[in-house]
Amino acid sequence: MTMKDKCYLAVDCGAESGRVMAGLWDGVKMRLEEIHRFPTGIMPIGDTKRWDIARIWGELGLGLAAQRFGGSIVSVGVDTWGVD
């Protein structure tokens, strides 16, 4: 990554895993780099199963805190499961 590259972060939360990706644009082409991947999983609470939102939030924070991109981050987009 050079100083003039722009970084576009993408967050994808799926039913089984989540990830944070960086799209690095050098003005000619985009290069993708996986920053952080983690299982989303569920946890039993009583007679139900629930997403462990606190853990997922923490994992997303780890991925988004990627200091190596610093001031070159232009935007962050988020995609999650929408039917649960």
Side-chain angles (χ1 to χ4, degrees), residues 19-33:
R19 64 184 173 163
V20 178
M21 300 286 293
L24 305 169
W25 176 249
D26 66 5
V28 177
K29 71 178 168 179
M30 179 77 72
R31 181 173 57 87
L32 296 178
E33 182 177 325

Side-chain angles (χ1 to χ4, degrees), residues 55-75:
R55 189 183 60 73
I56 292 171
W57 186 255
E59 295 283 355
L60 291 174
L62 288 174
L64 291 173
Q67 297 295 322
R68 67 179 177 241
F69 299 115
S72 65
I73 297 173
V74 175
S75 68

